[in-house]
Amino acid sequence: MLSAKQVRDGFIDFFKDKGHEFVPSSPIVPIDDETLLFANAGMNQFKDIFLGLTQPQHRRVVNSQKCLRVSGKHNDLEQVGKDTYHHTFFEMLGNWSFDDYFKAEAIQWAWELLTEVWGIDPNRLWTTVFQGDAEDSSPPDSDAKSLWPKVTSIPDERVLFGGKKDNFWEMGNIGPCGPCSEIHIDLGPDMCNKKDVPGHKCVINGGCGRFIELWNLVFIQYNRNESGELVPLSANYVDTGAGLERIVAVLQKKKSNYDTDLFMPIIGAVEEITGYEYSSELNNRIDNAFRVISDHIRSLTLAITDGATPSNEGRGYVIRRILRRAARFGRELGMHEPFMYKLVPTVANCLGDAFGEIKARADYVSTVIESEEANFGRTLDRGIEIFDAAARRAQKSKDKVIDGEDAFQLYDTYGFPLDLTQLMAEERKLKVDTDKFDELMEEQRERSRIVGLSGSITAKALLSGKLTVTKLPATEDLHKYSTDSCDSKIIGWIETEGFKNQGRIKAGVDIGIVLDRTCFYAEAGGQVGDCGVIESDRGRFIVDNTTKIANCVIHQGRLAEGAFSAGDKVRAIVSKDREGIKKNHTATHLLQWALRQVIGESVTQQGSLVGPDYLRFDFTYPKALSNKQLKEVEQSVREKIATDLPVTCAVMPKSEAEKLGAMALFGEKYGNEVRVVAIGAEDKGQLKEAFSREFCGGTHCHNTGQIGGFKITKEESISAGVRRITALTGEKLTEFLEQRSEIVDELSEVLKVPAETLVDRVEKLIKENKKLAKELKSASRRRGSDTMAEAKKLLDKCEKIDRTSVIIGRLSTTSVEQARTAIDMLKKKAKSAAVILAFADNGKVILLAGMTDDLVKKGLSAGVLVKAIAPIVDGGGGGRAQMAEAGGKNPEKIDDALTKAHEIIKEKLANA
Ligand code: ATP
Ligand code: MG
């Protein structure tokens, strides 16, 4: 029996023998393509060839592409677990002809590989060809229809015609397209999973498990133009895709892809971790959870390896959704703690041979997954309760729909992606009010958008619909690399009403000036937009940010003096901040290089901020950097600054830059011409010698020496697996160090020791302080018991009137707290007591009185008592009947006050 690896290798070798070049899979996270969230077919990386934008390097190519079908046009997420052959992540094996062979060879070779090399019974195979489409005026693929029985052994009656949906392939609404031929296998009537659907008949593309598609051969021969017509291409292409997991299942004679060696090790690991057993049944809740988890962990591992990180938008949110779905299914297997991260090594073992990058980044990937799991785990159980309550309400409602507000609350507060709520609803035969959900979502988005955009004049104009991007003039802005000031002309400005070039610029309000040429750098690639002034004899405009829309540079700010209108000749002068920005930008490149030296090549940039005051660099790394690592990074950067190396910038074709190994930002879109910033090369001819080469459009120092120093001021985590370093250079670093040194000087003055011994001194002080605090505490405890003893003595020798103790006296404590405790103790001990205690502290008098409840009932009151005697000590006070306090300023009269108190109490008791 062939292993999955042998099947994959067999496919590749078969086509290599037929003159094909092996090309590695492109990353699941497409570099350079904003139109696509994840690679979902083998053709993605060759798109530019079909579009005629690049020349192929080889005419025949074979590959195994990592595909993720979880979003957009191809989304199989819902299907996973419910059938045996749709996955979120799968491998698509493909052979390609770029203007070389065409239908006959493609058909013949596919058949040869399936039936002769792999020995699949030809009688079980069916194929489909395009029947044509009248509406589209596209003809049937009669070539393919006649070729199949001619170049293979398949009988004509098993070559079926199919419609546009299954047999015509298009990349988008316009562009290259063509008919396709699918190869299906008959797995036998037992495999039908729709037997109980009334009227169901097993047919090709009928959606039951009996016939499944193994391989699709696409023949790209047309271009659909803008008016929707199909125009034959001058070149013909073949693009095929065969699902590895499905072929492996057929060749290993398994009923399900999950029973093959691509999945069984993962399922085994899930069994081990959870203690549950997998029985490979389709309509079984437990088995379903097994399938979903083992499918999703493959997707997560592969996508995170290729640079995706869980987040709240775009790609990151898709990853988060997959993880949360899997975590919820984990609950079905009794898993309440993070567990999926433990499966990463197993996935790396299963797929690491084919895709080495998984092994290299496995540790990082498990850290990210674990922390995401832990995060969601905190709200998941509570979320499930909230869902249960919402589901019960829906159950009782007429239309069996879960409220949109409930779904939104689950999303917003408990982190439940909508599709997770829908999935859970579906399990109970309920629906979710997605209209209401969308409405609430939109409201929230709008709120945050307004918050995020306020202030930007261009954003306001764009939002109001009054600014049309395509109509904006282009600015020549290459001067930003060579100079800080240049002469130019105002060609217009942007205000809330859109783009203007008539009349005058309004003074004092926010607008964006557009010049014919500028040396201002517009915010891009992490580098902030420049500040500065635009001036002439007529006026002065303060620029506080520069941005770019398409090729138009917008100088945002206010007219501070005079008047400006379109046509005015002006001078554009960038602020001195630019110097700090350059230093920070070159230092950012050095930092990235140094990080890769110290902690390894797996460091990938996740973002950066280069401003005049500091620089910030975000990168992937699973844990905090140690002090030693940080020191090493600083040291490496400083060495490069000290050796004063040249910085060279060169513009070149993208392919050339890639050949040089220049680092590009993951997911960033670059044009055909790119700018490369290299450190350590004398000139453009020696870029190979440079130790740091990055795709970068920013402004830089000429030499590293200009950076003038480097210090990391902070290292922190900003999300799972992503660290952030903040650092200083140049004058800002000097300022920072000066401030620190002043603080040290001041401290050494205050503490009266030289700076060198400050730390010792402070440590000693802290120690002493701790000791003193301890002593103080035990002293006060001692004093506390002294006070109690004193009070007790007062009780022992006090006067008794009937059964009431009249306790009057002075305490030697100075703590009100202790005196209060003493009164409480006396009241408790004496059962019936009228207490008045006094003490002096630093020229002040404190009087405290207490009455037990029986006396209060008889009309005695501590509050009234202290109020009456406080004036004797030149003071005042009061309180409740049970307990009261007063202060005074004449300690000499304490005895008088106590005597008076005695009289009052006696009198009250006599009259009670
Ligand atoms: P299906 O109709 O079965 O969903 P498809 O028409 O979406 O397949 P294509 O887009 O033509 O398939 O992809 C080419 C091949 O990739 C298919 O023939 C199949 O073998 C495989 N494939 C497609 N989707 C998946 C998936 N979700 N999981 C596993 N393999 C898949
Ligand atoms: Mg499909």
Side-chain angles (χ1 to χ4, degrees):
M1 190 170 80
L2 294 179
S3 67
K5 178 175 163 32
Q6 285 168 322
V7 176
R8 185 190 300 112
D9 291 347
F11 184 94
I12 292 166
D13 290 340
F14 176 84
F15 284 102
K16 271 189 181 168
D17 280 350
K18 308 233 183 274
H20 291 63
E21 179 78 19
F22 173 75
V23 171
S25 170
S26 65
I28 282 211
V29 178
I31 305 175
D32 237 21
D33 191 348
E34 287 308 307
T35 61
L36 192 65
L37 282 184
F38 298 103
N40 60 15
M43 57 75 55
N44 297 154
Q45 67 165 318
F46 303 117
K47 203 159 101 173
D48 285 355
I49 298 178
F50 299 133
L51 289 169
L53 298 173
T54 23
Q55 283 298 309
Q57 290 183 344
H58 311 278
R59 299 241 161 248
R60 298 179 180 193
V61 160
V62 57
N63 73 346
S64 171
Q65 174 67 41
K66 304 182 271 189
C67 294
L68 201 56
R69 291 198 169 175
V70 286
S71 53
K73 189 173 149 210
H74 289 292
N75 187 347
D76 293 333
L77 185 62
E78 307 287 308
Q79 213 46 47
V80 168
K82 292 181 200 153
D83 73 18
T84 55
Y85 56 97
H86 277 100
H87 307 295
T88 52
F89 166 80
F90 67 98
E91 283 179 65
M92 197 189 279
L93 302 165
N95 57 296
W96 309 81
S97 158
F98 303 124
D99 196 14
D100 192 63
Y101 62 83
F102 205 39
K103 297 181 191 176
E105 294 88 336
I107 291 172
Q108 194 196 333
W109 289 340
W111 192 260
E112 182 186 333
L113 179 59
L114 290 175
T115 60
E116 288 171 34
V117 179
W118 284 334
I120 296 176
D121 177 1
N123 295 318
R124 293 170 68 197
L125 297 177
W126 293 68
T127 182
T128 60
V129 298
F130 183 47
Q131 68 192 14
D133 190 290
E135 213 173 285
D136 223 16
S137 55
S138 51
D141 191 359
S142 38
D143 293 347
K145 174 75 180 156
S146 60
L147 276 168
W148 272 105
K150 201 161 106 200
V151 301
T152 75
S153 62
I154 199 168
D156 189 48
E157 62 274 16
R158 287 217 310 276
V159 183
L160 309 176
F161 275 117
K164 207 167 144 179
K165 179 175 151 286
D166 293 308
N167 286 94
F168 196 85
W169 182 88
E170 316 203 41
M171 197 159 70
N173 295 335
I174 52 173
C177 53
C180 59
S181 254
E182 305 161 324
I183 304 170
H184 293 256
I185 189 161
D186 183 352
L187 298 173
D190 277 357
M191 291 302 289
C192 172
N193 53 351
K194 292 200 171 159
K195 284 187 193 117
D196 37 357
V197 175
H200 172 76
K201 243 185 96 194
C202 297
V203 289
I204 306 282
N205 281 325
C208 76
R210 172 167 175 184
F211 294 101
I212 68 166
E213 180 187 326
L214 290 181
W215 200 341
N216 193 2
L217 318 177
V218 183
F219 310 119
I220 300 176
Q221 60 187 105
Y222 301 111
N223 183 41
R224 190 183 292 279
N225 67 21
E226 282 175 16
S227 41
E229 291 155 353
L230 294 177
V231 184
L233 286 174
S234 56
N236 288 328
Y237 303 99
V238 172
D239 152 4
T240 87
L244 173 73
E245 295 74 7
R246 296 185 187 179
I247 290 179
V248 170
V250 169
L251 297 183
Q252 295 184 353
K253 304 203 165 36
K254 303 289 187 200
K255 285 189 173 158
S256 155
N257 293 1
Y258 295 93
D259 295 342
T260 68
D261 60 341
L262 284 166
F263 285 92
M264 275 324 277
I266 306 174
I267 288 179
V270 178
E271 284 183 327
E272 204 155 289
I273 293 170
T274 62
Y276 280 74
E277 243 173 72
Y278 181 63
S279 59
S280 196
E281 272 169 41
L282 211 49
N283 295 316
N284 174 316
R285 237 182 126 93
I286 297 295
D287 286 351
N288 187 48
F290 267 98
R291 283 187 292 269
V292 173
I293 291 165
S294 49
D295 172 273
H296 287 10
I297 192 61
R298 295 197 337 148
S299 293
L300 291 167
T301 305
L302 274 287
I304 297 171
T305 294
D306 279 356
T309 41
S311 75
N312 264 343
E313 54 197 11
R315 286 180 184 133
Y317 192 54
V318 177
I319 298 303
R320 181 161 277 172
R321 270 166 45 206
I322 297 177
L323 188 135
R324 294 188 170 184
R325 271 174 76 105
R328 212 283 312 204
F329 277 99
R331 293 294 196 264
E332 313 248 315
L333 303 182
M335 298 311 290
H336 288 265
E337 296 297 320
F339 72 101
M340 279 183 292
Y341 73 97
K342 296 184 191 159
L343 300 168
V344 174
T346 315
V347 176
N349 268 337
C350 290
L351 295 174
D353 272 345
F355 310 106
E357 60 276 15
I358 311 176
K359 281 192 170 151
R361 306 195 72 190
D363 282 345
Y364 163 73
V365 172
S366 28
T367 316
V368 173
I369 294 180
E370 183 183 7
S371 107
E372 256 304 287
E373 284 188 271
N375 240 334
F376 184 48
R378 277 192 268 285
T379 55
L380 177 53
D381 289 317
R382 180 78 189 114
I384 290 175
E385 283 169 27
I386 300 284
F387 173 85
D388 286 343
R392 276 194 299 274
R393 279 194 296 277
Q395 212 67 268
K396 283 189 205 130
S397 76
K398 203 166 65 237
D399 43 6
K400 309 266 180 259
V401 174
I402 289 186
D403 216 66
E405 288 188 18
D406 287 329
F408 186 74
Q409 190 205 5
L410 280 167
Y411 164 82
D412 203 35
T413 313
Y414 299 96
F416 279 44
L418 178 63
D419 56 16
L420 178 56
T421 305
Q422 282 176 310
L423 177 90
M424 291 166 69
E426 196 191 300
E427 288 169 356
R428 304 188 186 197
K429 309 227 167 355
L430 296 170
K431 289 214 158 47
V432 179
D433 180 356
T434 53
D435 288 345
K436 182 74 194 170
F437 178 90
D438 290 343
E439 194 183 298
L440 293 168
M441 227 11 223
E442 193 46 44
E443 266 173 32
Q444 195 194 44
R445 252 187 232 126
E446 193 58 26
R447 271 196 302 276
S448 52
R449 188 162 62 190
I450 289 165
V451 172
L453 283 181
S454 59
S456 155
I457 188 70
T458 343
K460 277 187 207 155
L462 279 171
L463 272 182
S464 71
K466 299 218 168 86
L467 188 63
T468 322
V469 173
T470 49
K471 295 214 177 103
L472 284 175
T475 317
E476 194 219 310
D477 72 341
L478 279 177
H479 311 286
K480 65 189 177 215
Y481 294 130
S482 53
T483 176
D484 292 345
S485 64
C486 71
D487 290 323
S488 50
K489 199 171 77 186
I490 297 178
I491 48 179
W493 64 93
I494 292 169
E495 51 178 52
T496 24
E497 294 304 300
F499 182 76
K500 290 278 150 71
N501 54 15
Q502 301 293 321
R504 277 179 169 202
I505 290 179
K506 282 187 218 123
V509 294
D510 287 338
I511 65 142
I513 284 195
V514 179
L515 304 172
D516 63 341
R517 60 208 286 267
T518 186
C519 51
F520 277 69
Y521 181 87
E523 181 183 336
Q527 181 174 332
V528 300
D530 277 333
C531 307
V533 292
I534 294 172
E535 58 181 22
S536 76
D537 297 344
R538 296 188 57 211
R540 191 176 150 82
F541 183 90
I542 310 288
V543 181
D544 43 35
N545 193 14
T546 309
T547 54
K548 200 171 186 175
I549 298 185
N551 289 316
C552 179
V553 176
I554 299 153
H555 306 79
Q556 298 185 171
R558 272 159 315 285
L559 185 64
E561 282 167 35
F564 272 152
S565 36
D568 281 4
K569 293 223 160 65
V570 289
R571 194 158 177 78
I573 307 163
V574 175
S575 121
K576 290 259 175 308
D577 283 353
R578 166 71 77 76
E579 289 310 307
I581 295 175
K582 282 185 189 169
K583 289 173 183 167
N584 283 334
H585 206 151
T586 309
T588 305
H589 286 211
L590 289 178
L591 173 60
Q592 161 144 247
W593 164 81
L595 281 168
R596 295 170 76 95
Q597 295 292 303
V598 174
I599 60 179
E601 301 286 307
S602 70
V603 167
T604 7
Q605 176 170 354
Q606 294 290 109
S608 67
L609 179 80
V610 178
D613 298 337
Y614 61 90
L615 66 93
R616 230 170 53 189
F617 186 74
D618 303 339
F619 57 99
T620 53
Y621 195 60
K623 51 179 191 278
L625 271 68
S626 68
N627 275 338
K628 183 163 165 278
Q629 286 172 319
L630 289 171
K631 283 283 156 239
E632 271 179 59
V633 169
E634 273 184 341
Q635 215 41 53
S636 314
V637 173
R638 284 179 192 149
E639 261 166 38
K640 294 296 180 196
I641 293 174
T643 29
D644 196 17
L645 300 160
V647 180
T648 307
C649 307
V651 175
M652 62 184 78
K654 191 168 84 186
S655 54
E656 203 174 303
E658 278 164 352
K659 235 182 270 160
L660 273 171
M663 268 190 287
L665 192 60
F666 228 99
E668 180 81 330
K669 184 145 184 93
Y670 297 96
N672 284 335
E673 288 271 291
V674 296
R675 185 164 175 271
V676 172
V677 174
I679 310 179
E682 281 299 337
D683 55 40
K684 290 178 194 176
Q686 299 188 317
L687 289 180
K688 272 212 178 79
E689 260 92 283
F691 64 90
S692 154
R693 283 178 294 256
E694 290 191 35
F695 283 47
C696 178
T699 57
H700 285 268
C701 299
H702 292 298
N703 294 291
T704 55
Q706 288 169 351
I707 299 171
F710 177 82
K711 181 169 176 54
I712 294 175
T713 52
K714 200 169 187 189
E715 192 272 347
E716 64 197 309
S717 155
I718 52 166
S719 67
V722 182
R723 313 292 310 176
R724 165 171 293 174
I725 281 183
T726 308
L728 299 175
T729 67
E731 284 76 45
K732 293 291 169 188
L733 173 56
T734 313
E735 269 171 37
F736 171 84
L737 294 176
E738 237 154 44
Q739 269 174 13
R740 286 284 157 109
S741 135
E742 267 164 33
I743 296 174
V744 171
D745 289 348
E746 255 172 61
L747 263 181
S748 97
E749 230 178 277
V750 172
L751 295 172
K752 304 213 168 26
V753 293
E756 297 71 45
T757 55
L758 264 181
V759 176
D760 278 352
R761 182 81 189 112
V762 172
E763 274 175 357
K764 221 183 253 163
L765 281 176
I766 293 174
K767 232 189 233 161
E768 263 167 35
N769 196 323
K770 261 191 199 149
K771 205 172 127 216
L772 287 176
K774 220 166 154 190
E775 282 176 15
L776 205 63
K777 217 171 170 186
S778 65
S780 102
R781 220 178 290 135
R782 240 179 294 128
R783 265 199 312 278
S785 60
D786 290 353
T787 309
M788 289 309 139
E790 228 175 349
K792 187 86 182 320
K793 263 186 207 149
L794 291 175
L795 170 65
D796 292 344
K797 56 172 206 200
C798 80
E799 179 186 356
K800 286 233 175 184
I801 299 179
D802 286 338
R803 256 178 283 143
T804 301
S805 306
V806 181
I807 309 163
I808 297 178
R810 294 172 80 132
L811 295 176
S812 48
T813 183
T814 52
S815 154
V816 179
E817 199 61 44
Q818 285 176 7
R820 268 189 219 132
T821 320
I823 291 194
D824 284 342
M825 182 272 286
L826 291 171
K827 278 164 68 177
K828 228 177 253 155
K829 279 226 148 101
K831 308 262 168 28
S832 170
V835 191
I836 175 104
L837 299 175
F839 65 85
D841 178 16
N842 242 338
K844 283 190 193 126
V845 181
I846 306 288
L847 298 168
L848 290 104
M851 298 290 165
T852 44
D853 288 340
D854 58 322
L855 303 185
V856 172
K857 265 185 212 142
K858 288 183 184 163
L860 278 80
S861 160
V864 174
L865 181 63
V866 292
K867 221 180 215 159
I869 61 170
I872 303 175
V873 288
D874 297 344
R880 293 176 301 124
Q882 284 84 353
M883 174 78 101
E885 287 171 30
K889 282 176 284 198
N890 194 348
E892 275 163 25
K893 293 283 180 68
I894 288 183
D895 287 338
D896 294 354
L898 292 180
T899 313
K900 179 77 187 167
H902 190 194
E903 279 169 22
I904 297 177
I905 294 169
K906 261 166 87 175
E907 191 192 317
K908 288 266 169 191
L909 282 174
N911 295 335

